[in-house]
Amino acid sequence: MNPADVAQSLPSIVSSDLSLWTLFWHASWVVKLVMLGLTASSIWLWAIVIDKTVLYARARRAMDSFEAAFWSGQSLEELYRTLSSKPNHSMGALFVAAMREWKRSFEGAPRSFAGLQMRIDKVMQVSIAREVERLEKRLLVLATIGSAGPFIGLFGTVVGIMTSFQSIAASKNTSLAVVAPGIAEALMATAIGLIAAIPATIFYNKFASEVNKQAQRLEGFADEFSAILSRQIDERGGN
Amino acid sequence: MQMRMASVISTCLHIAVLGWATLSFNSKAFEATPPESLPVDIISEKEFSEVTKGVKDAKKPAEKPKPIVEKVAEPPPKPVEELKPTINDKRTVAENKEAAPPPPQPEAKPPEKKAEPKPPAPAKPDQIADKLKDDKPKPEAKTEPQPMPPKRPPLPKKPEEKFDPTKIAALLDKRGPTRASMTGAELNKDPTLGTATGAAAKLSQSEIDAFRRRVESCWNIPVGARDADNLRVVFRINFRRDGTIERGPDTIEGSNSPFGPAYADSGRRAILQCQPYTMLRPEHYESWKDVEIEFNARQMFN
C-alpha cells in the first residue's frame, strides 16, 4: 500500500476533518435524502428565478414599446395588421383579441352593437387572465420552497442528531471529537434548507409584486381601450 | 425552452457554488491554549505528617521554594523510565555488597578504572581523560548513599567527598536514580517551615472507645456509694510513647460529696492497673501525650 493511498483513506476513518463532502458522506440516508432534495429544490428555485426575471423584463419592455406604438397616433387598423401576423404577449395580445372581436362584429354588415361592448370586455378579461396566469406560473413553487424548506431541513437535522446520539451512546464516549461531527452533519441539513428557503421567500415576494403591477397595468390598458372602443361604437351606432 | 436554459444556468451556478464551498469550507481548529498543569501527588497520611513536620530554624522560603529532593534528577527526564515502578533503591544493593566481605580493592581512582576497560580510543587520550575527570565528581555526589530517613535535620553539605574504598560498590552502580528517592531539578535538603506541631492526625473514635473499654474493665466502683451516678472526677494523665503512664493521674476536678475521695481513688487505681494502653498508637502520640479524662459512672456504664 503506498503512502498516498493511506493518506487518502485516513480522513474517512478518523473523520476529523469536517469538509462539506465528508459531512455529507457520513450522514445517515434520511439526512442524505433531505440534503439532496433541498439541493434539487434550490436548483429548481434558481432556474425559476432566472426564468421569471427574464420573462418580466421582457414583458415590461414589450408593454413599453406597445404603449409607445399605441399612443403614437398611427391607425389602430394598421397596428392590428402588424401585430396580428406574429404571436403576441401581454398588452399586444390584449389589443389583438379586442380588435379581432371588433372586426368580427363589423364584417357581417348589419349587426347589432348591443352586445359588442360586453363581448369586447369579456375577451379582454380572458386575455388578461391568461397573461397573468402566464406570469404567475411556477411562482407557487417558490412560495412552497420558502415556507417548507426550513421545516424539511429541520427534519433532517432532528433525524441526524437522533442517529448521531444513538451512535454516541453506542460508542460510550462523550468527548467533543465524537459528538461534534454528527451534530455538524445534522446541522448542515438545516443550513441547506435555509439556503434554499431564504432566496425563495425573497424572490417570491418580489415576483408577486411584479405580477401585481403588470396585471394592474394590463387592466388599466384594457379599461382605456374599452373606453375608446365604446366611444367608437356609440359614434357608429348613432350614425 | 427558456425554462430549460434557466435550469441549466441554475445547475451550473449551484455546482460552482458547491465546489467553491467544498474548497473553502475547511474547519479551522480553535486555538485553545491548555491551562497550566498542576502536578498533583497522592500521598499517604504518614507521608503527609512527615512533610508538614517543620523545623523551627529552617530557612525562610525564598520567592519560590524548591521541593525537597535528595538527588539531582537526570537533566532530560524520560517519562517511560520515570513510570517504571522500581521498588529497589540502589542503596540496598550497595548495603548488600557492603555486608559481604569487601574485596581488597586497589586504591585506584575511578577515572582510571573507567579508562582501563575501554579499548584504545582513536581520539586523543588526554581529552577523554579530561572529560572523565569532569564527569566523575557528579556521579560521586549523586550516588552517595543516604542511610538516614528524609526528615532528618539538614546536614551541612560537604564540599569534597573523600574517596571511600568501602563505597566502591555504590560508585560502580551505574543505574539511574529510582523512584524510591525523591528527585527534583535541584538539590534541596532543607525542610520547609511546616506547621507548628506537624501533628495532623487526631485520636480516632475507635481508639477512644478502646481506651474507655479498657478502663471500664479495670474499674471497681466503690460499693455503696450513694448517688454514684452523679459523682464525677477528672484526671490529668501524661503518657509515655509506649502507652505507660509517666505522671499522674492527678485529680483536677472532683465532686463535692463524702464519697468523692473514694470514688477518685477507685478511678486512679483503675487507670494505673490497666497500663500500658497499647491501643493508643504512637503515630498520634502528640494528641494523647497529655490528656484529661473524666470519670463518670453514668457515662461509662451505659
Side-chain angles (χ1 to χ4, degrees):
Chain A
M1 203 171 189
N2 87 49
D5 289 348
V6 176
Q8 280 287 319
S9 65
L10 209 58
S12 62
I13 298 163
V14 180
S15 85
S16 58
D17 74 323
L18 296 175
S19 75
L20 281 187
W21 183 247
T22 46
L23 280 186
F24 172 76
W25 201 243
H26 285 279
S28 67
W29 64 270
V30 178
V31 182
K32 264 183 208 164
L33 210 69
V34 166
M35 286 182 190
L36 285 179
L38 285 172
T39 311
S41 67
S42 175
I43 291 171
W44 184 232
L45 148 77
W46 279 97
I48 291 169
V49 166
I50 292 166
D51 177 47
K52 288 291 157 192
T53 312
V54 173
L55 176 70
Y56 293 156
R58 208 175 276 172
R60 213 180 308 121
R61 236 179 295 125
M63 270 188 215
D64 287 346
S65 62
F66 175 80
E67 276 194 327
F70 186 79
W71 299 110
S72 66
Q74 77 177 119
S75 101
L76 295 184
E77 293 282 341
E78 216 173 295
L79 190 64
Y80 173 69
R81 237 174 281 131
T82 53
L83 285 177
S84 59
S85 57
K86 59 186 177 187
N88 279 295
H89 290 307
S90 67
M91 250 182 223
L94 198 63
F95 172 74
V96 168
M99 280 302 281
R100 192 181 292 131
E101 189 58 41
W102 167 270
K103 277 190 162 309
R104 269 187 204 149
S105 302
F106 279 96
E107 266 162 12
R111 289 275 177 88
S112 70
F113 296 118
L116 181 57
Q117 178 73 50
M118 218 175 67
R119 282 200 301 278
I120 287 172
D121 281 354
K122 273 270 184 277
V123 162
M124 284 203 292
Q125 285 300 324
V126 165
S127 61
I128 284 174
R130 204 177 293 135
E131 276 307 303
V132 168
E133 195 227 306
R134 192 175 66 95
L135 293 175
E136 268 184 344
K137 201 177 161 193
R138 300 204 187 93
L139 271 194
L140 270 182
V141 175
L142 296 195
T144 308
I145 292 173
S147 58
F151 290 125
I152 296 168
L154 203 60
F155 167 72
T157 295
V158 168
V159 170
I161 287 185
M162 270 164 58
T163 52
S164 78
F165 271 129
Q166 276 166 2
S167 44
I168 287 162
S171 74
K172 291 192 172 62
N173 184 357
T174 52
S175 79
L176 205 57
V178 172
V179 176
I183 290 174
E185 84 190 13
L187 287 178
M188 211 171 85
T190 301
I192 295 175
L194 292 178
I195 286 171
I198 290 169
T201 310
I202 291 172
F203 280 109
Y204 175 73
N205 289 338
K206 183 179 179 292
F207 290 160
S209 73
E210 185 84 11
V211 166
N212 207 22
K213 226 186 287 171
Q214 295 203 0
Q216 273 188 354
R217 205 169 160 187
L218 284 178
E219 297 247 6
F221 173 74
D223 284 351
E224 228 162 352
F225 192 48
S226 170
I228 290 165
L229 288 182
S230 154
R231 206 183 313 128
Q232 290 286 321
I233 289 163
D234 281 358
E235 278 170 14
R236 295 197 183 194
N239 284 346
Chain B
M1 180 64 201
Q2 203 200 345
M3 197 60 209
R4 200 175 301 157
M5 260 277 288
S7 303
V8 169
I9 294 170
S10 166
T11 309
C12 292
L13 215 108
H14 274 79
I15 288 169
V17 168
L18 270 180
W20 172 79
T22 312
L23 290 180
S24 66
F25 187 86
N26 49 355
S27 54
K28 205 185 283 176
F30 288 125
E31 292 278 338
T33 49
E36 298 233 339
S37 60
L38 284 173
V40 175
D41 262 348
I42 295 172
I43 60 173
S44 70
E45 216 173 301
K46 185 172 170 293
E47 282 171 324
F48 177 71
S49 65
E50 283 172 0
V51 164
T52 52
K53 183 157 284 181
V55 171
K56 267 189 179 169
D57 54 355
K59 281 187 284 181
K60 287 265 185 198
E63 286 175 15
K64 229 163 62 176
K66 296 163 189 166
I68 298 180
V69 297
E70 292 174 345
K71 291 176 180 177
V72 179
E74 303 290 330
K78 290 170 191 169
V80 183
E81 281 185 15
E82 284 277 311
L83 288 173
K84 222 188 286 174
T86 348
I87 309 154
N88 231 357
D89 197 340
K90 70 172 66 171
R91 192 187 309 155
T92 58
V93 176
E95 280 165 7
N96 287 345
K97 285 194 177 175
E98 279 173 83
Q105 287 282 348
E107 283 275 323
K109 290 277 185 209
E112 289 171 16
K113 273 190 73 188
K114 274 208 85 175
E116 269 177 13
K118 273 201 171 182
K124 295 167 197 167
D126 286 3
Q127 279 186 353
I128 292 174
D130 286 350
K131 268 192 180 173
L132 284 170
K133 264 177 201 163
D134 289 345
D135 286 345
K136 216 52 222 170
K138 270 185 232 162
E140 216 172 327
K142 236 197 283 182
T143 56
E144 171 73 20
Q146 306 276 4
M148 290 189 206
K151 61 176 174 177
R152 77 204 176 286
L155 286 169
K157 241 192 100 185
K158 293 167 202 158
E160 265 296 317
E161 297 278 356
K162 278 184 186 173
F163 180 69
D164 190 355
T166 59
K167 289 173 183 170
I168 276 173
L171 284 175
L172 290 174
D173 193 2
K174 291 302 175 217
R175 290 176 302 169
T178 55
R179 280 196 72 144
S181 302
M182 287 181 282
T183 57
E186 288 171 85
L187 205 65
N188 180 21
K189 288 179 186 165
D190 297 338
T192 55
L193 280 169
T195 57
T197 64
K202 296 249 163 65
L203 272 182
S204 70
Q205 191 60 41
S206 62
E207 283 174 309
I208 294 168
D209 282 343
F211 177 79
R212 210 175 71 177
R213 185 67 51 82
R214 183 148 172 90
V215 173
E216 276 172 25
S217 69
C218 304
W219 191 18
N220 290 314
I221 303 177
V223 187
R226 253 191 300 131
D227 58 359
D229 281 1
N230 296 328
L231 290 174
R232 61 186 285 278
V233 59
V234 178
F235 294 118
R236 180 179 175 177
I237 310 167
N238 284 18
F239 286 103
R240 292 194 195 89
R241 195 174 272 274
D242 58 359
T244 55
I245 291 166
E246 187 181 17
R247 198 167 65 87
D250 303 329
T251 310
I252 303 178
E253 234 182 289
S255 292
N256 185 14
S257 157
F259 297 101
Y263 188 82
D265 279 344
S266 73
R268 189 175 296 120
R269 270 197 304 277
I271 291 166
L272 289 171
Q273 273 172 12
C274 284
Q275 60 178 318
Y277 297 97
T278 47
M279 75 289 290
L280 301 172
R281 284 185 288 162
E283 294 100 282
H284 308 150
Y285 178 61
E286 284 295 329
S287 56
W288 52 267
K289 185 168 69 179
D290 186 359
V291 291
E292 288 183 6
I293 299 167
E294 179 181 342
F295 269 61
N296 188 326
R298 194 167 34 179
Q299 271 180 20
M300 280 207 167
F301 295 103
N302 59 6

